[in-house]
């Protein structure tokens, strides 16, 4: 596999030889050593979920081997240790996305739950009959359906900013959809089906000029780009831990403190209360008000470890390495006769979606699997994107910073093999 040193920026590589040496990075991910159908695993389904470095696996093990206990409840040392590790993870997230305060970090199951939380709390509070919620045409179902549920309940209207043939948001058209009726804007930072990076900073500025809050679905951005929620001035920002090298079942909803404080709770239960009587319950302070019941403690601690790991590698390094790898992949795959790239935005991250003349994406994926190559095929939980491009599905190769040019070459060779099989 990756025997060549893949050094993107020689100056930085000289200063930090380990950072850009993909061979060493790959050593941190035990799963990548496996073979599939007798071939080296080429894992190109990182947008679905990413692989975990040993330090994350170790953190999970450590919790279960040494610290396993509930948090915020026990007066004994074991519980103090797990509470500390859980709250340290919150502080890690805060620093990583540059939130102003750790109480702005709410732990949820994933970005899906983050979006649903905002729709069901802020949304129910502020969206009424005749109001509008504005999204874009490149959203994942997780940033469509929660708003549809809300709009149906309230008699509100879901508006959709259009995209062009490259898969870029048409900003002028989007802006025209902002009005007095718009009560919230919800947009993806990076599209999972197309890889488009939305101009979220501009979108936030446009919405804020009209005093409209913005939720950003950051599920596909945080693993690839350095995200600064304060620089973006995002009101809400949703993250999935498992896509950023952390465990499954953990995610983050960032929310500005004054907004979180003003919102009603999402779920009721333990830990989200200060006092309960049958007559009246007073709620806990943020973020605990939104963390009812025993959370996924192990996964939260694992997410903290993933953030430490990413911080060690450096998100600028991740972004620049992947940028070069995506350019290489776009060239290598895009020039194969019969392959058509879907999503050719000028600003892209991590994703290469394509179709092949006369061959169903599922067939492509099945043949690639026999070559040890894991890609996703289908609508990628973004059916309206497929409809926009007039196709039922694509093949999607999605990158992480442990992928290599050799793996892209293997994908290109695999696609030539597919073509021969279906010729
Ligand atoms: N996309 C993909 O293969 P959860 O499932 O809650 O961790 O993430 C949901 C989600 C929200 N927004 C975007 C932009 C996403 O890409 C995803 C998850 C995966 O593309 C699984 S469908």
């Amino acid at each position: 596999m990756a025997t060549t040193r893949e050094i993107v920026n020689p100056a930085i590589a000289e200063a930090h030889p380990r950072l850009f040496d993909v061979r060493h990075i790959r050593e941190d991910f035990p799963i990548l050593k496996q073979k599939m159908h007798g071939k080296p695993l080429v894992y190109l389904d990182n947008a679905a979920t990413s692989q975990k470095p040993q330090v994350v696996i170790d953190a999970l093990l450590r919790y279960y081997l040494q610290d396993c206990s509930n948090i915020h409840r026990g007066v004994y040392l074991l519980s103090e240790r797990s509470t500390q590790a859980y709250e340290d993870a919150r502080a890690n997230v805060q620093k990583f996305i540059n939130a102003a305060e750790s109480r702005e970090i709410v732990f949820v199951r994933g970005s899906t739950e983050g979006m649903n939380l905002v729709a069901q709390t802020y949304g129910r509070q502020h969206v009424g009959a005749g109001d509008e919620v504005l999204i874009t045409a490149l959203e994942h179902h997780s940033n469509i359906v929660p708003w549809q549920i809300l709009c149906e309940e309230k008699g509100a209207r879901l508006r959709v900013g259009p995209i062009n043939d490259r898969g870029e948001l048409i900003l002028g058209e989007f802006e025209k959809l902002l009005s007095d009726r718009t009560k919230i804007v919800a947009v993806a930072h990076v599209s999972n089906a197309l890889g488009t990076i939305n101009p979220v900073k501009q979108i936030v500025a446009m919405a804020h000029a009209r005093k409209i809050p913005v939720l950003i679905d950051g599920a596909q951005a945080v693993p690839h780009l350095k995200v600064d929620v304060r620089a973006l001035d995002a009101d809400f920002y949703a993250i999935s831990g498992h896509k950023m090298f952390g465990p499954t079942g953990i995610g983050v909803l960032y929310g500005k403190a004054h907004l979180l404080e003003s919102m009603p709770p999402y779920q009721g239960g333990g830990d989200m209360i200060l006092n309960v009587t049958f007559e009246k319950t007073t709620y806990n302070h943020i973020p605990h008000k939104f963390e009812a019941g025993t959370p996924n403690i192990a996964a939260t601690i694992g997410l903290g470890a993933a953030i430490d790991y990413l911080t060690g590698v450096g998100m600028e390094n991740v972004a620049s390495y992947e940028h070069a790898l995506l350019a290489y992949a776009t060239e290598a795959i895009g020039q194969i006769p019969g392959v058509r790239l879907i999503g050719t935005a000028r600003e892209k991250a991590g994703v290469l979606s394509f179709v092949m003349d006369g061959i169903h994406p599922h067939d492509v994926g099945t043949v690639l699997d026999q070559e040890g190559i894991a890609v996703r095929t289908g609508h990628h939980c973004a059916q309206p994107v497929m409809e926009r491009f007039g196709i039922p599905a694509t093949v999607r190769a999605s990158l992480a910073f442990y992928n290599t040019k050799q793996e892209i070459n293997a994908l290109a060779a695999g696609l030539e093999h597919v073509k021969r099989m279906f010729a």
Side-chain angles (χ1 to χ4, degrees):
M1 298 245 47
T3 48
T4 318
R5 281 167 68 90
E6 302 227 353
I7 292 173
V8 171
N9 181 335
I12 299 178
E14 218 165 88
H16 309 279
R18 198 179 175 289
L19 296 181
F20 281 97
D21 190 338
V22 73
R23 267 184 321 174
H24 284 140
I25 296 239
R26 291 177 69 83
E27 288 295 314
D28 296 334
F29 293 81
I31 203 169
L32 299 177
K33 295 187 178 75
Q34 282 188 87
K35 293 200 164 172
M36 292 287 134
H37 307 293
K39 312 260 172 66
L41 168 64
V42 174
Y43 187 75
L44 294 171
D45 197 14
N46 294 288
T49 198
S50 58
Q51 299 304 345
K52 319 305 170 200
Q54 185 67 51
V55 286
V56 169
I57 299 164
D58 288 346
L60 292 173
L61 268 178
R62 200 164 42 247
Y63 170 74
Y64 285 119
L65 289 172
Q66 295 173 13
D67 295 339
C68 184
S69 54
N70 214 324
I71 55 164
H72 302 147
R73 291 159 170 84
V75 291
Y76 50 89
L77 181 60
L78 207 59
S79 176
E80 279 168 19
R81 284 211 307 247
S82 61
T83 301
Q84 188 63 50
Y86 183 86
E87 292 303 331
D88 285 349
R90 200 189 304 277
N92 269 9
V93 176
Q94 177 205 343
K95 248 173 71 188
F96 191 63
I97 61 170
N98 196 31
E101 303 175 65
S102 67
R103 66 195 182 116
E104 297 181 316
I105 305 301
V106 178
F107 287 122
V108 288
R109 271 192 306 129
S111 55
T112 300
E113 187 168 46
M115 260 88 76
N116 277 281
L117 190 159
V118 177
Q120 288 300 313
T121 56
Y122 184 92
R124 288 181 99 181
Q125 211 174 25
H126 294 274
V127 177
D131 287 338
E132 295 180 355
V133 173
L134 178 58
I135 61 170
T136 82
L138 53 67
E139 301 305 320
H140 184 276
H141 296 166
S142 293
N143 200 28
I144 302 173
V145 184
W147 304 113
Q148 277 175 329
I149 294 171
L150 176 72
C151 288
E152 252 169 54
E153 180 190 315
K154 296 289 188 169
R157 185 171 174 204
L158 187 66
R159 305 301 303 268
V160 183
I163 54 174
N164 64 22
D165 291 342
R166 303 173 79 106
E168 296 163 324
L169 182 66
I170 306 170
L171 214 49
E173 296 297 315
F174 182 84
E175 189 168 22
K176 282 187 208 152
L177 292 171
L178 292 165
S179 76
D180 290 350
R181 290 183 298 275
T182 318
K183 291 296 177 280
I184 187 163
V185 166
V187 296
H189 195 162
V190 173
S191 154
N192 70 317
L194 303 169
T196 310
I197 303 176
N198 262 333
V200 282
K201 203 170 170 163
Q202 271 172 282
I203 290 172
V204 170
M206 279 176 181
H208 283 181
R210 295 158 179 87
K211 299 198 173 6
I212 305 164
V214 179
L215 175 147
I216 300 175
D217 171 5
Q220 299 293 352
V222 174
H224 306 291
L225 310 172
K226 190 166 172 49
V227 170
D228 180 331
V229 290
R230 270 191 287 174
L232 294 175
D233 203 15
D235 299 289
F236 300 103
Y237 196 99
I239 298 171
S240 282
H242 69 100
K243 295 189 200 293
M244 55 181 293
F245 317 100
T248 53
I250 185 66
V252 171
L253 175 71
Y254 160 80
K256 283 182 180 165
H258 74 96
L259 290 172
L260 292 178
E261 271 170 346
S262 72
M263 285 152 48
Y266 177 47
Q267 294 178 332
D271 222 22
M272 54 76 70
I273 55 87
L274 289 177
N275 190 54
V276 179
T277 67
F278 287 119
E279 288 70 40
K280 181 162 176 61
T281 291
T282 47
Y283 303 128
N284 206 340
H285 306 290
I286 62 165
H288 310 294
K289 182 171 77 174
F290 295 105
E291 294 179 5
T294 301
N296 195 337
I297 303 165
T300 310
I301 294 168
L303 176 61
I307 287 175
D308 283 340
Y309 178 81
L310 280 172
T311 305
V313 176
M315 285 313 293
E316 292 90 349
N317 300 332
V318 167
S320 81
Y321 177 80
E322 285 186 16
H323 189 73
L325 193 62
L326 183 64
Y328 182 81
T330 305
E331 174 83 26
I333 308 304
Q335 53 87 36
I336 298 173
V339 167
R340 180 161 62 98
L341 297 179
I342 304 293
T344 51
R346 279 155 286 203
E347 297 293 326
K348 274 186 75 171
V351 167
L352 205 70
S353 249
F354 55 92
V355 290
M356 291 181 81
D357 282 351
I359 312 173
H360 195 282
H362 289 326
D363 291 332
V364 178
T366 305
V367 175
L368 289 178
D369 174 50
Q370 292 301 310
E371 300 298 309
I373 303 168
V375 292
R376 184 170 170 187
T377 63
H379 55 59
H380 315 296
C381 303
Q383 278 185 302
V385 172
M386 300 298 121
E387 202 183 315
R388 166 65 180 77
F389 286 90
I391 48 176
T394 72
V395 182
R396 184 188 68 182
S398 52
L399 309 178
F401 62 95
Y402 43 64
N403 290 126
T404 64
K405 286 183 183 170
Q406 287 83 353
E407 290 183 312
I408 301 301
N409 295 345
L411 173 64
L415 295 178
E416 293 292 359
H417 180 57
V418 170
K419 274 174 64 180
R420 283 194 299 277
M421 280 187 75
F422 287 88

